[in-house]
Amino acid sequence: MEEELWKDHCVLLNKDEENELEICGYKTQGWQRVLCIAGYIFSCGALLLLFYWKPEWDVWANCIRCSLEEADVVLLRTTDEFQRYTRKKVTWIDLSTLALPVGSNSDDPLVADKDSVINRAVMKPQLKMRCIQVQKIRYIWDFSVKEFKKVGSLEDSNTCHSIHYKFGAGLTREEQKIRQLVCGPNAIEVEIHPIWKLLFKEILNPFYVFQAFTLILWLIQGYTEYSVAIAILSIVSVGLTVYDLRQQSTKLHDLVEEHNKVQVTVCMKSEGCKELESCYLVPRDMFLLDGKKLALPCDAVLMDGSCIVNEGMLTGESIPVTKTPLPLMESPMPWKTHSIEDYRRHVLFCGTEVIQTKPTGRGPARAVVLQTGFNTAKGDLVRSILYPKPVNFKLYRDAFKFIVGLSVIGVFGLIYTVCVFTSHKMPVAEVVARALLLLTVAVPPAILAALTTGTVYAQRRLKKKKIFCISPQRINICGQINLVCFDKTGTLTEDGLDLWGVIPSEGGRFQKIHKFPSSTPLPWGPVCGAMASCHSLVVLDKKIQGDPLDLKMFEGTHWETDDSSTAQDGADALNSCIVRPGPKASSAPVEGIAILHQFPFSSGLQRMSVVSQKIGEEQYDLYMKGAPEIVSSFCRQETVPANFLKELKTYTSQGFRVIALAHKVLNLGEDVDVSNIEREEAESGLAFLGLLVMENCLKQETKPVLQELAAACIRSVMVTGDNLQTAITVARNAGMIHKGSKVILVEASEPEGSAPASIAWRLAEDSKANTAAPREVCANTEEKITLEGETCNYHFVMNGKSYQVIIKHFYNLLPKILVNATVFARMSPGQKSSLIEEFQKLNYCVGMCGDGANDCGALKMAHAGISLSEQEASVASPFTSQIHNIQCVPELIREGRAALVGSFAVVKYLTLYGLIQFVGTALLFWQLQIFGNRQYLMQDVVITLLVCLTMSLTEAYPKLAPYRPPGQLISPPLLLSIILNVCFTIIMQTCGFLLVKQQPWYVALASQRHCSPGNQTVSPTSPGGNGTSSGAQSTVLSYEDTTLWPLSSINCIIVAFVFSKGKPFRKPVYTNYVFSVLLALQLAICLFLFFTDIDAVYSGMQFLCTPVIWRVCILLMLLVTFFVSFFTEDVVLQNKHLWLLIKAWFGYKSNSQYRKWQRMLQRDPNWPPVNTKDFAAKSMDEIYINPTYEYSAED
């Protein structure tokens, strides 16, 4: 019973999706609510503030647990490791306000689509719905399954047939109104928050609340000047933050606002077509694409016609993409999985631009609204900016532990203060005030804020280098990257391909190669016809645009597109895309070729086809181009040369990109609609035409960057959709695989009949000469690209098919392969994402660099995804580089390391500053004294604040070190650094405190601030006299205070300098001119205040005059502290070799999974296997199916 109740109480929202949440139902209880309100009043709002920070406590205190069906409040919790809570109120949508037709209250469905969640959510006869809104997405309560379901999208369960027949005629006015009320407006509205709301939200931050509490304490103590200064700084800080947030929301609002009010032509059932503002669109609406350029206001499924769109906003690539209509077929499968073709080819995404449309004989191109508002592709991008995914990084968790640790020290200080002041019979109010004062001194509230300073400066530096970031917290993570996956084409190699040659095939034999460039044009024939027509090029603004490969191939024929056939904005823009022989082309017996229909390229299919017709002839031709292995499988075997694989390998092993061409005469009747031809039927029984060989040169920056990463012990892996042999050659040319290394091909096969799945390990032919080479570690570190500590000289390579089999049947072997795998070829987008995830499971910190088109999933999955794109922000990845080469990778790692080290330095400094003040204040408390107002002001504002603001300005060191900076605050070097420096501080301040009492001129209370002419003595105060003008001064004026203030203040400057470590992750401290000059000025001011003999200075700073010799002694103590601290930090704690020796001495081994596997494999004499074959055990077939791959395979 309890289990059943829990099942009704808590369910998963968006199950198995990226934004999965646990949702639990609660009902508000009146008496609990009354008690809470009483608590708010008696706690002066403190309880309310606590509930604001902890929404789950608010719900638990005010409500009782109940089923979701009865709930008026829901508590949402993320299912990731952060488990963040959100409270949402359940609201009602009242449909009775609409003028609905008679019979709406009956059992008839409310909307025509019987499967729609709207019909299952409406409560009759009241015509109401329960709903919640989470991160801009609306969910309504589905009574049939007792769950909250997302609205604003077309149900995925619809088949192609049902979409055409259910939605092809549009909606009635009544249904449109119902959907508008239920789904909300089709608008991506980013609210520009009023300043008062931003201000209120900011000051309720725990950091500022603690700051306010501290300020009140200081004011009670009479530290008015200091409190006012800190208050002004806090107000300025809050003001700048609010201004920045306001600017960001304004910029984002302006970015999305233009798509919220687009005029579209909507087709209404029984009312015809009419103009409508896009904000009124709802899922299932039918609208026309009339040939004008249109910024799409929603996601839509193309029903009729085809169009060309620019998807730069989504993928980062401004290459025109052809969209084809959703096929009309009777398949019972959901429309997204109706065929092997990528469903995205039928979807027009919000925010992308329709450039051209091609109508059909039935009229203009039409599309059905698929998703609206924040459910769309653009809405997803905006939501990822508004609600960034939290980053799993130890730094932020460690910072919290740090604050807890300092709080414990503060509590000890509090107990110490209570004991000291109580023993002296001090008033209770003063005991409490002083005790809380020492508690606040120990915990600098700015620690968490300090962690972001390095990130902010790094983000600015990256922006200057054309690297943009929509997730700044990931910059620190970049400092920990130790493996980078690269896409090949357009990333490691040039975007553009150079046409090298074409090898025609005739009668099952390869003919003589025709090289490019050539003095003689390519002769007319099926190969020339294929190259001239089998592409997705379009003419935009009198310029041919499209995929670089298609462009080079077409240019090689010297044919031209017929300008008259491609009107820029007309409704028949693509109706007759015609190509004709140009003046430089070889003579052809045809006037031209009309490209009538496209089966577009998709990375999943690895091929494309076109249906064409020679002008003046009735015959239809189908031309195909794509991956040679794929294209040959669609050809009649007698047309494929016997030496096909050998010839293919000849060119791929030299690093050429090879494309196969094929042709088929289509037997179609007269007046046939070619757009309705089934792809599977058309693409069969083809004749093999030959191979197109293209040269894909490495970018000139590729090899130096990979060498730089190798020298920094950062591993490089290639993940590409290209041919395996081509990828291996490019990896060799780029330096990923060196001459002294073996290349082992891993080939896995699915089970066949009774034979189980198998995996074969084969030495690549060009590696066979190395089989006799010893397997010991290479003496020359430049001969291999490995991570620090790796001892292998072999590389595994495989294709996507083998990877899929290994995931499914040999998962126990996967870690062994991954720690030494370098090339993954023919990988689908889903497999790329899966691979990144598997690397992360081995505790690699993974970077991914790609072009953003087929790599979106992998870029988002990686710890740091970098898209080479012209866009400043794309849905593809957290980082976007406008410089189209991989130089951005080391740049990002450099800045990440600098930001990480800078953040650590600021945290260490703030910790020491707090503890230095804590020690000084505790010593003065021993004799019921305290630092003066202006003394604190100097330490906190003139020194510490300026240090925190400028310490992280030091730029990244230009050379990447061969090791990473520590990734966590709670690490031995960092903790030792803090502990030892605190010890030095305690020793120095205690010595000063005790030694001053031993001086012959020392008196417990003194009345004379100024120095006598000889500067040797001061007048003592008579025991019974009143030595100060007020009691407040008597708690400040003392020789102990005058001694401890320079010791603590200049100590703050010393640790600021010592912690500003330069090499190997940042430039030397003197290159940070602002910081260096400030430190020098601060030191000069402190020395001036301490050594000057001006009465006004002594009076203002509340100092007592001391002999010069004593001041020199204090300076010597500080110098000794500086040299000891500097030596300890620089020579001992930052000595990498010393720590390696200590680790070796204690037998410490890294706990990272990949390190464990490396150590294990080094001890295994039978690894790596070569020229062997293994079979999966029967029981292993069901061992593991990677959910990421299974999900992505549908893509």
Side-chain angles (χ1 to χ4, degrees):
M1 183 68 189
E2 181 69 24
E3 191 178 324
E4 189 65 32
L5 182 64
W6 179 257
K7 188 181 173 185
D8 290 339
H9 169 62
C10 278
V11 295
L12 288 177
L13 194 68
N14 306 322
K15 193 175 181 181
D16 299 328
E17 292 181 30
E18 191 179 3
N19 56 339
E20 184 182 82
L21 296 162
E22 185 183 71
I23 178 170
C24 299
Y26 290 88
K27 188 184 283 184
T28 308
Q29 286 293 98
W31 65 270
Q32 287 181 244
R33 183 84 181 131
V34 169
L35 284 175
C36 285
I37 291 169
Y40 302 156
I41 295 165
F42 290 124
S43 65
C44 301
L47 184 64
L48 190 62
L49 187 62
L50 187 65
F51 285 171
Y52 173 77
W53 292 336
K54 288 280 186 182
E56 65 272 29
W57 293 1
D58 181 17
V59 173
W60 296 335
N62 283 283
C63 311
I64 59 164
R65 206 172 79 177
C66 68
S67 68
L68 280 166
E69 194 166 359
E70 300 170 326
D72 58 5
V73 170
V74 293
L75 188 62
L76 299 145
R77 188 183 71 178
T78 58
T79 53
D80 56 20
E81 60 194 286
F82 301 98
Q83 299 202 337
R84 291 160 299 136
Y85 284 93
T86 316
R87 177 189 185 276
K88 292 287 174 185
K89 197 170 181 182
V90 179
T91 56
W92 290 88
I93 300 172
D94 189 359
L95 298 178
S96 62
T97 56
L98 300 173
L100 298 177
V102 180
S104 298
N105 291 341
S106 68
D107 293 333
D108 295 334
L110 199 62
V111 294
D113 180 12
K114 292 178 182 177
D115 300 324
S116 173
V117 69
I118 294 174
N119 286 325
R120 302 194 301 271
V122 69
M123 186 188 286
K124 292 185 178 182
Q126 298 97 327
L127 291 178
K128 287 185 176 182
M129 290 180 186
R130 301 170 71 235
C131 80
I132 56 171
Q133 188 138 327
V134 183
Q135 292 188 353
K136 306 287 187 183
I137 302 289
R138 186 176 286 184
Y139 300 82
I140 58 175
W141 179 254
D142 185 335
F143 284 96
S144 62
V145 292
K146 299 194 184 303
E147 283 180 16
F148 280 102
K149 293 283 187 181
K150 195 184 293 183
V151 287
S153 300
L154 207 62
E155 285 79 6
D156 287 343
S157 57
N158 285 296
T159 64
C160 297
H161 184 270
S162 67
I163 288 176
H164 273 277
Y165 280 95
K166 280 185 190 176
F167 316 141
L171 297 173
T172 60
R173 181 181 293 276
E174 290 78 15
E175 187 168 334
Q176 194 179 53
K177 284 182 179 177
I178 291 169
R179 287 180 178 268
Q180 281 171 2
L181 189 58
V182 174
C183 302
N186 172 40
I188 301 170
E189 291 173 340
V190 177
E191 182 187 354
I192 301 177
H193 294 290
I195 290 172
W196 69 266
K197 191 181 280 188
L198 289 170
L199 193 65
F200 195 69
K201 190 175 179 181
E202 192 63 26
I203 61 175
L204 289 181
N205 184 304
F207 160 68
Y208 287 114
V209 172
F210 186 76
Q211 190 93 312
F213 172 68
T214 309
L215 285 176
I216 291 165
L217 277 175
W218 290 99
L219 281 167
I220 291 169
Q221 295 295 311
Y223 284 84
T224 313
E225 293 171 23
Y226 168 71
S227 300
V228 168
I230 294 295
I232 290 168
L233 287 168
S234 298
I235 290 164
V236 170
S237 174
V238 170
L240 288 172
T241 306
V242 167
Y243 174 77
D244 192 39
L245 288 170
R246 173 87 174 186
Q247 288 292 99
Q248 284 178 16
S249 65
T250 305
K251 187 179 178 184
L252 195 57
H253 174 270
D254 295 342
L255 184 73
V256 299
E257 185 63 23
E258 59 180 305
H259 289 167
N260 290 341
K261 294 179 181 177
V262 179
Q263 290 296 318
V264 287
T265 306
V266 177
C267 296
M268 306 281 287
K269 191 179 282 186
S270 72
E271 288 188 33
C273 298
K274 66 172 186 178
E275 287 279 316
L276 197 69
E277 201 170 90
S278 61
C279 63
Y280 298 111
L281 286 174
V282 293
R284 259 200 65 177
D285 259 335
M286 170 73 73
F287 67 95
L288 302 181
L289 299 163
D290 53 8
K292 296 175 185 173
K293 283 189 177 181
L294 173 70
L296 281 160
C298 60
D299 287 355
V301 186
L302 195 60
M303 306 290 282
D304 279 320
S306 59
C307 57
I308 292 165
V309 296
N310 180 350
E311 292 190 341
M313 187 281 295
L314 280 181
T315 64
E317 285 195 313
S318 295
I319 292 174
V321 178
T322 302
K323 298 288 183 177
T324 56
L326 187 74
L328 176 58
M329 54 195 300
E330 294 281 354
S331 170
M333 295 171 69
W335 70 276
K336 285 187 178 179
T337 54
H338 72 276
S339 73
I340 51 174
E341 190 175 348
D342 187 352
Y343 77 88
R344 290 180 180 84
R345 288 294 174 182
H346 313 309
V347 179
L348 307 170
F349 293 103
C350 177
T352 62
E353 187 181 23
V354 177
I355 305 166
Q356 291 182 345
T357 56
K358 174 185 174 181
T360 60
R362 293 188 292 274
R366 298 181 304 146
V368 165
V369 176
L370 176 63
Q371 293 174 141
T372 56
F374 281 95
N375 292 290
T376 62
K378 185 171 182 179
D380 189 45
L381 169 62
V382 175
R383 284 198 312 125
S384 70
I385 296 170
L386 289 173
Y387 309 102
K389 193 177 177 183
V391 176
N392 175 21
F393 196 36
K394 288 180 180 176
L395 177 62
Y396 301 101
R397 283 179 290 166
D398 287 353
F400 180 73
K401 291 176 186 174
F402 232 66
I403 290 173
V404 171
L406 291 173
S407 301
V408 170
I409 294 171
V411 169
F412 281 121
L414 183 143
I415 295 165
Y416 159 81
T417 309
V418 169
C419 293
V420 170
F421 278 73
T422 307
S423 65
H424 286 83
K425 306 287 191 298
M426 298 299 287
V428 174
E430 188 172 350
V431 173
V432 171
R434 293 292 165 90
L436 289 173
L437 190 81
L438 196 58
L439 172 67
T440 59
V441 163
V443 188
I447 280 187
L448 287 173
L451 284 174
T452 63
T453 55
T455 304
V456 170
Y457 294 137
Q459 189 176 8
R460 286 181 186 172
R461 290 195 291 266
L462 286 170
K463 196 170 182 179
K464 287 178 184 175
K465 293 166 184 173
K466 302 287 184 186
I467 300 169
F468 300 93
C469 174
I470 62 168
S471 183
Q473 67 267 38
R474 286 184 185 260
I475 293 175
N476 278 336
I477 295 179
C478 294
Q480 288 292 296
I481 287 174
N482 57 0
L483 183 147
V484 185
C485 294
F486 294 97
D487 182 33
K488 182 180 77 70
T489 309
T491 304
L492 296 174
T493 59
E494 294 288 355
D495 278 320
L497 296 157
D498 292 320
L499 194 58
W500 186 82
V502 62
I503 312 160
S505 172
E506 203 173 305
R509 289 169 181 260
F510 282 114
Q511 307 300 307
K512 186 181 176 184
I513 188 169
H514 179 92
K515 286 196 175 183
F516 296 94
S518 170
S519 54
T520 57
L522 182 70
W524 166 253
V527 171
C528 184
M531 289 173 65
S533 61
C534 193
H535 53 73
S536 56
L537 300 174
V538 294
V539 176
L540 299 173
D541 301 322
K542 298 186 179 180
K543 185 181 176 184
I544 301 175
Q545 293 185 30
D547 187 273
L549 186 149
D550 286 354
L551 206 55
K552 286 287 181 184
M553 179 185 74
F554 183 68
E555 286 171 356
T557 61
H558 296 297
W559 280 46
E560 297 172 348
T561 55
D562 189 344
D563 288 339
S564 62
S565 69
T566 52
Q568 293 302 303
D569 297 308
D572 60 345
L574 297 177
N575 215 13
S576 53
C577 186
I578 296 170
V579 290
R580 303 178 189 274
K584 293 183 182 178
S586 58
S587 58
V590 292
E591 185 186 334
I593 297 174
I595 303 165
L596 305 175
H597 185 63
Q598 267 186 46
F599 296 116
F601 176 82
S602 105
S603 53
L605 300 178
Q606 298 179 356
R607 68 180 191 275
M608 79 160 288
S609 307
V610 295
V611 177
S612 65
Q613 188 178 36
K614 298 181 184 74
I615 294 173
E617 296 184 18
E618 293 183 3
Q619 175 185 305
Y620 292 94
D621 297 288
L622 180 131
Y623 291 106
M624 178 192 283
K625 79 169 192 297
E629 309 93 308
I630 301 295
V631 172
S632 62
S633 68
F634 286 90
C635 296
R636 302 192 306 276
Q637 281 308 301
E638 66 272 14
T639 66
V640 180
N643 62 337
F644 165 74
L645 290 174
K646 185 181 176 184
E647 191 79 4
L648 175 62
K649 195 167 186 179
T650 303
Y651 293 101
T652 55
S653 61
Q654 296 175 59
F656 288 111
R657 177 97 181 261
V658 182
I659 305 293
L661 303 169
H663 168 250
K664 174 186 179 180
V665 175
L666 294 173
N667 298 315
L668 304 175
E670 291 185 13
D671 299 326
V672 70
D673 185 355
V674 292
S675 62
N676 285 337
I677 299 172
E678 291 291 337
R679 183 167 191 169
E680 287 77 5
E681 186 183 327
E683 293 180 335
S684 61
L686 280 75
F688 185 77
L689 293 182
L691 299 173
L692 192 67
V693 183
M694 309 194 88
E695 202 168 17
N696 195 193
C697 304
L698 279 176
K699 290 180 178 176
Q700 62 181 28
E701 300 87 3
T702 296
K703 198 165 184 177
V705 167
L706 292 176
Q707 285 173 347
E708 184 181 4
L709 293 177
C713 294
I714 296 168
R715 196 174 147 200
S716 300
V717 173
M718 186 192 295
V719 188
T720 178
D722 206 347
N723 176 278
L724 180 59
Q725 197 61 51
T726 304
I728 293 170
T729 307
V730 170
R732 285 191 180 281
N733 294 341
M736 281 183 170
I737 301 172
H738 285 269
K739 291 177 183 176
S741 304
K742 298 175 189 174
V743 176
I744 301 169
L745 272 71
V746 182
E747 295 172 330
S749 305
E750 287 277 9
E752 290 183 15
S754 60
S758 63
I759 184 168
W761 317 83
R762 188 164 56 83
L763 204 60
E765 286 185 11
D766 48 1
S767 295
K768 287 184 179 174
N770 299 324
T771 51
R775 212 185 296 159
E776 288 86 19
V777 60
C778 299
N780 183 358
T781 53
E782 292 181 3
E783 281 299 302
K784 61 193 177 75
I785 293 185
T786 60
L787 229 73
E788 181 187 16
E790 289 184 22
T791 55
C792 73
N793 64 339
Y794 59 90
H795 299 262
F796 290 121
V797 300
M798 70 179 79
N799 60 25
K801 183 186 169 189
S802 294
Y803 175 76
Q804 179 185 346
V805 175
I806 290 166
I807 282 278
K808 197 172 180 182
H809 300 285
F810 298 95
Y811 191 70
N812 60 327
L813 288 175
L814 189 64
K816 295 183 178 183
I817 295 168
L818 291 185
V819 291
N820 290 308
T822 304
V823 175
F824 295 85
R826 294 287 186 230
M827 296 284 279
S828 70
Q831 288 169 339
K832 288 181 182 182
S833 301
S834 170
L835 178 67
I836 298 288
E837 188 182 21
E838 295 302 332
F839 273 128
Q840 288 172 337
K841 285 179 184 175
L842 292 175
N843 301 132
Y844 281 108
C845 189
V846 185
M848 171 75 196
C849 184
D851 56 16
N854 301 321
D855 307 318
C856 288
L859 289 165
K860 290 177 90 172
M861 180 67 71
H863 290 110
I866 314 157
S867 171
L868 305 183
S869 163
E870 293 173 7
Q871 308 288 320
E872 274 195 32
S874 79
V875 76
S877 64
F879 296 96
T880 308
S881 171
Q882 289 186 344
I883 299 163
H884 287 239
N885 60 60
I886 62 170
Q887 278 181 325
C888 59
V889 175
E891 202 63 65
L892 192 57
I893 295 171
R894 270 193 289 271
E895 290 295 350
R897 289 181 173 187
L900 191 57
V901 171
S903 296
F904 279 7
V906 177
V907 169
K908 280 168 66 177
Y909 171 76
L910 278 172
T911 306
L912 253 297
Y913 144 75
L915 292 175
I916 287 167
Q917 262 194 3
F918 178 83
V919 171
T921 307
L923 286 170
L924 288 175
F925 275 9
W926 182 254
Q927 52 193 42
L928 311 182
Q929 292 177 331
I930 192 167
F931 285 122
N933 193 341
R934 287 170 188 161
Q935 292 171 1
Y936 273 125
L937 197 66
M938 277 292 298
Q939 287 182 351
D940 288 6
V941 179
V942 177
I943 298 175
T944 298
L945 181 73
L946 296 176
V947 165
C948 288
L949 290 175
T950 58
M951 189 184 257
S952 295
L953 284 171
T954 310
E955 293 184 0
Y957 195 69
K959 184 183 177 183
L960 282 172
Y963 53 90
R964 299 179 293 169
Q968 52 191 38
L969 277 168
I970 314 290
S971 62
L974 195 137
L975 287 177
L976 266 176
S977 172
I978 290 170
I979 291 165
L980 289 173
N981 276 286
V982 169
C983 290
F984 302 152
T985 295
I986 292 170
I987 293 165
M988 179 183 67
Q989 292 199 35
T990 307
C991 286
F993 183 77
L994 295 175
L995 285 172
V996 76
K997 292 175 183 287
Q998 310 302 318
Q999 302 309 307
W1001 41 262
Y1002 171 81
V1003 287
L1005 291 171
S1007 62
Q1008 187 177 329
R1009 289 197 189 95
H1010 63 272
C1011 294
S1012 60
N1015 199 12
Q1016 294 301 318
T1017 60
V1018 289
S1019 304
T1021 305
S1022 59
N1026 183 8
T1028 56
S1029 58
S1030 71
Q1033 281 192 333
S1034 67
T1035 62
V1036 177
L1037 280 174
S1038 70
Y1039 286 113
E1040 290 88 351
D1041 172 87
T1042 306
T1043 299
L1044 288 178
W1045 185 84
L1047 286 175
S1048 56
S1049 298
I1050 297 176
N1051 197 9
C1052 286
I1053 298 170
I1054 288 170
V1055 293
F1057 179 80
V1058 168
F1059 290 161
S1060 297
K1061 175 76 175 159
K1063 285 177 66 175
F1065 305 115
R1066 299 198 295 171
K1067 287 182 179 178
V1069 65
Y1070 59 78
T1071 61
N1072 184 347
Y1073 305 117
V1074 177
F1075 179 67
S1076 303
V1077 169
L1078 274 174
L1079 281 189
L1081 281 172
Q1082 288 165 355
L1083 184 60
I1085 291 167
C1086 288
L1087 292 175
F1088 169 78
L1089 292 174
F1090 189 50
F1091 276 92
T1092 188
D1093 286 336
I1094 302 171
D1095 285 345
V1097 171
Y1098 275 69
S1099 175
M1101 291 301 296
Q1102 293 175 286
F1103 288 158
L1104 289 175
C1105 183
T1106 55
V1108 171
I1109 190 69
W1110 177 245
R1111 294 183 240 179
V1112 172
C1113 287
I1114 290 174
L1115 201 58
L1116 285 173
M1117 279 193 274
L1118 286 164
L1119 277 171
V1120 170
T1121 305
F1122 168 72
F1123 286 119
V1124 171
S1125 180
F1126 186 81
F1127 177 84
T1128 307
E1129 187 74 19
D1130 217 54
V1131 179
V1132 180
L1133 297 175
Q1134 297 291 335
N1135 190 326
K1136 182 75 176 174
H1137 300 292
L1138 179 63
W1139 281 104
L1140 289 173
L1141 283 172
I1142 293 169
K1143 284 180 181 179
W1145 179 268
F1146 288 101
Y1148 172 81
K1149 303 283 186 185
S1150 170
N1151 289 321
S1152 297
Q1153 289 297 316
Y1154 70 92
R1155 290 289 193 210
K1156 288 179 180 177
W1157 281 107
Q1158 285 169 356
R1159 292 194 293 268
M1160 194 187 303
L1161 295 176
Q1162 283 170 27
R1163 296 192 297 268
D1164 189 347
N1166 299 318
W1167 192 267
V1170 177
N1171 298 326
T1172 60
K1173 193 169 188 177
D1174 300 318
F1175 294 91
K1178 291 290 183 186
S1179 60
M1180 284 176 63
D1181 286 358
E1182 300 297 322
I1183 272 189
Y1184 179 85
I1185 296 175
N1186 187 307
T1188 302
Y1189 176 72
E1190 288 295 298
Y1191 175 77
S1192 305
E1194 295 176 5
D1195 296 347

